[in-house]
Amino acid sequence: MESVLTSINPFTNQIIETFECSTFEVIDNQIKNAHESFQKWRFMDMEHRTAFFQKLADAFEQNKLALANLFTLEMGKPIQESVSEIDKSIYSIRWYAENAQKLLTEECVDLGALNAKVTYQPLGVILLIMPWNFPLWQVIRAAIPAMILGNTVVLKHANTVTKSALAIQNIFFEAGFDSGMFEVIITDIDKIPSIIDHKLIKGVSLTGSEEAGIKVAEKAGSGLKPVILELGGSDPFIVCQDADLELASTIAVKSRFINGGQSCIAAKRFLIQEQIYHQFLTLLTNKVKKLIVGDPSLSITDIGPLCKPTSIQTLDSQIDLSIRLGARKVYESKSLVSDGNFFSTTIVDGVLPGMPLFDEEVFGPVISLTTFSNPQEALKLANQTDFGLAASIFTRDEDLKKYFSERIEVGSVFINEMVKSDVRIPFGGIKKSGFGRELGKYGLLSFVNIKTIVT
């Protein structure tokens, strides 16, 4: 495997910096350091512990512009989205700092002659394996709930955002956390199984691909270690004939093209009722045409380059095979003359089960349209996937809202709204989208010993 990790600007494909991979001896010492910090951190009272996170939020606020520019440089995220990602992370840190103590209040149970209480205790060192598409938010939503409970974490970030990972670590240090509370491991994927096996690693949180999830779950399972998996998605976006089409088309564009379509919870399969299909397509196309694709460092840019050149090849293959199977390309933006990893915004209709654009997760600026005749057909199409992360439903009919929300096989349903993660509510999927929940109270309980004490 690689002995160095290379950070590359996807807008120019120029090398930003290279990083030497750590030996396992170095990684072993990092994990031991995290374990030593855990022995002190776990017994700190919650009020003192949460104060660290208020300082952390302040530190991110103070470093926001520099960090946003780094995210944009290293993974191609439009600068306005980089700033929004940091703002969301800051809000979430403060929310946990303000609410963790209340959410983790001991529960008392009257057993008659006996009394019982349920307490929440940390497990130890938690390994985070995080992706590149949201360099900060993915880390924050996994790290903060684990750490505020009293765990310490070691982070294996995606190879492509190593510079961002180290910058995030420095902000933790600036806020007063010692190196053992939040450790960044610089290594390629070949060492991950050995890291999971390490006797001091007590749990694993992965956000990534289905393939990575299977391997991590198998390895963690062999050591009986708890694991949270947030994997891919192929979220249905259902528009019924009675929907507010202006609202639905506006949210469709935002939901599909956020982060250039490189998001697990981006709308992926657009299921449109036949009666309003052409009207919706017109509204949708007009909005897509207005999107500005280009230099991600400019505030006017809506879509930057894809993070990796291989993403272009995957999208081309998915589109080409779907068209050979009967789909039709109805819109494609003009090609950009650039050395960067740009992909034209594209709309494809006539997409059916059996086509890659329907069956697979599509990670890029491509809209796939499928029509349905009635709610029963829409539900069948929505559930005809191996994934089960989230779904959007657009209808004014209260019976249809209830019908879809009760029957769609996903972890979250958003009605007349865009699917999004929010620190105040649980987030996660079913089927091949993974298992476990992040955020809210349930995120706090991901890596915890729920201990019962009976007197």
Side-chain angles (χ1 to χ4, degrees):
M1 302 299 289
E2 295 178 85
S3 59
V4 296
L5 305 183
T6 305
S7 174
I8 298 175
N9 180 349
F11 179 56
T12 64
N13 275 321
Q14 298 298 308
I15 293 175
I16 301 170
E17 191 171 345
T18 58
F19 304 88
E20 186 174 348
C21 290
S22 299
T23 64
F24 194 79
E25 182 181 5
V26 170
I27 295 171
D28 178 60
N29 287 333
Q30 287 182 290
I31 295 172
K32 289 176 179 175
N33 187 34
H35 177 71
E36 289 176 8
S37 292
F38 168 67
Q39 302 306 322
K40 298 175 291 183
W41 180 245
R42 67 181 299 192
F43 292 115
M44 188 181 294
D45 66 86
M46 180 64 82
E47 185 176 355
H48 190 188
R49 206 155 56 220
T50 55
F52 275 84
F53 293 95
Q54 293 289 9
K55 292 178 182 177
L56 180 64
D58 292 341
F60 275 113
E61 190 72 58
Q62 292 158 10
N63 290 277
K64 179 163 62 176
L65 185 57
L67 200 60
N69 283 322
L70 176 56
F71 295 165
T72 293
L73 175 70
E74 196 168 36
M75 63 82 45
K77 184 188 297 290
I79 187 65
Q80 58 186 349
E81 292 189 16
S82 292
V83 172
S84 295
E85 179 179 341
I86 298 169
D87 285 337
K88 181 176 184 176
S89 299
I90 291 170
Y91 173 81
S92 299
I93 294 168
R94 294 199 192 282
W95 187 86
Y96 270 119
E98 293 164 5
N99 291 279
Q101 189 158 9
K102 175 180 65 178
L103 294 172
L104 294 171
T105 301
E106 293 181 352
E107 178 186 352
C108 295
V109 182
D110 183 357
L111 300 179
L114 300 171
N115 289 315
K117 65 177 180 180
V118 180
T119 64
Y120 306 100
Q121 297 183 347
L123 298 180
V125 184
I126 308 302
L127 171 63
L128 310 183
I129 307 170
M130 294 291 113
W132 46 264
N133 53 342
F134 293 92
L136 179 61
W137 173 235
Q138 299 281 10
V139 173
I140 291 303
R141 76 188 201 190
I144 302 306
M147 294 177 68
I148 209 163
L149 179 69
N151 298 294
T152 55
V153 303
V154 290
L155 168 65
K156 165 61 183 93
H157 218 324
N159 295 0
T160 51
V161 291
T162 302
K163 193 172 180 69
S164 295
L166 293 172
I168 293 167
Q169 176 180 252
N170 287 337
I171 293 174
F172 271 84
F173 295 165
E174 184 180 317
F177 291 83
D178 69 37
S179 62
M181 296 177 187
F182 184 93
E183 290 263 7
V184 170
I185 295 173
I186 301 178
T187 184
D188 208 339
I189 59 174
D190 60 322
K191 291 189 178 69
I192 289 178
S194 297
I195 296 171
I196 295 173
D197 271 342
H198 197 290
K199 65 180 180 180
L200 296 179
I201 293 294
K202 301 301 181 182
V204 185
S205 177
L206 167 78
T207 297
S209 68
E210 174 190 335
E211 294 76 16
I214 291 170
K215 292 177 181 178
V216 167
E218 287 177 342
K219 178 55 66 173
S222 68
L224 297 179
K225 298 180 181 184
V227 60
I228 300 297
L229 299 179
E230 199 278 278
L231 309 178
S234 187
D235 291 1
F237 187 103
I238 300 175
V239 184
C240 298
Q241 62 183 346
D242 69 319
D244 180 335
L245 298 188
E246 179 61 33
L247 173 68
S249 59
T250 297
I251 293 179
V253 172
K254 183 177 181 181
S255 180
R256 186 65 195 103
F257 294 112
I258 189 170
N259 206 32
Q262 300 169 114
S263 170
C264 58
I265 57 171
K268 304 271 179 28
R269 296 176 297 133
F270 292 79
L271 310 179
I272 316 300
Q273 195 152 13
E274 293 170 349
Q275 291 87 335
I276 47 90
Y277 173 72
H278 292 292
Q279 185 181 353
F280 180 82
L281 177 60
T282 299
L283 289 168
L284 183 71
T285 305
N286 289 338
K287 289 177 171 61
V288 173
K289 287 179 178 179
K290 295 177 182 178
L291 295 173
I292 298 174
V293 182
D295 185 345
S297 68
L298 301 179
S299 60
I300 62 170
T301 299
D302 297 304
I303 301 176
L306 301 180
C307 185
K308 298 179 291 185
T310 52
S311 298
I312 296 174
Q313 300 164 12
T314 300
L315 288 171
D316 278 333
S317 175
Q318 290 173 317
I319 292 172
D320 290 347
L321 181 53
S322 296
I323 289 174
R324 289 203 300 272
L325 291 172
R328 183 173 64 109
K329 190 181 294 184
V330 294
Y331 173 76
E332 182 178 29
S333 63
K334 294 180 180 179
S335 299
L336 291 167
V337 180
S338 170
D339 293 328
N341 305 328
F342 285 99
F343 196 89
S344 299
T345 52
T346 304
I347 302 175
V348 181
D349 76 356
V351 176
L352 299 172
M355 298 179 183
L357 290 180
F358 191 97
D359 295 345
E360 301 173 7
E361 181 173 36
V362 180
F363 232 55
V366 179
I367 288 180
S368 303
L369 296 170
T370 304
T371 59
F372 66 89
S373 58
N374 56 60
Q376 293 75 27
E377 184 182 7
L379 179 66
K380 180 181 178 181
L381 289 166
N383 287 337
Q384 200 166 340
T385 175
D386 290 334
F387 298 101
L389 193 53
S392 296
I393 315 297
F394 287 82
T395 179
R396 295 183 175 96
D397 188 301
E398 295 301 321
D399 289 337
L400 282 179
K401 292 175 185 178
K402 185 173 187 293
Y403 174 80
F404 283 119
S405 61
E406 289 181 347
R407 291 170 174 81
I408 290 186
E409 299 164 354
V410 292
S412 301
V413 175
F414 283 67
I415 299 174
N416 296 322
E417 180 56 279
M418 171 179 156
V419 171
K420 61 188 74 172
S421 55
D422 186 304
V423 68
R424 296 165 293 184
I425 54 177
F427 175 82
I430 60 173
K431 299 195 283 189
K432 289 187 178 180
S433 289
F435 50 76
R437 291 296 180 265
E438 298 176 314
L439 303 175
K441 179 175 181 178
Y442 297 91
L444 286 168
L445 300 180
S446 294
F447 298 106
V448 61
N449 175 20
I450 303 175
K451 180 182 284 187
T452 302
I453 301 172
V454 180
T455 304

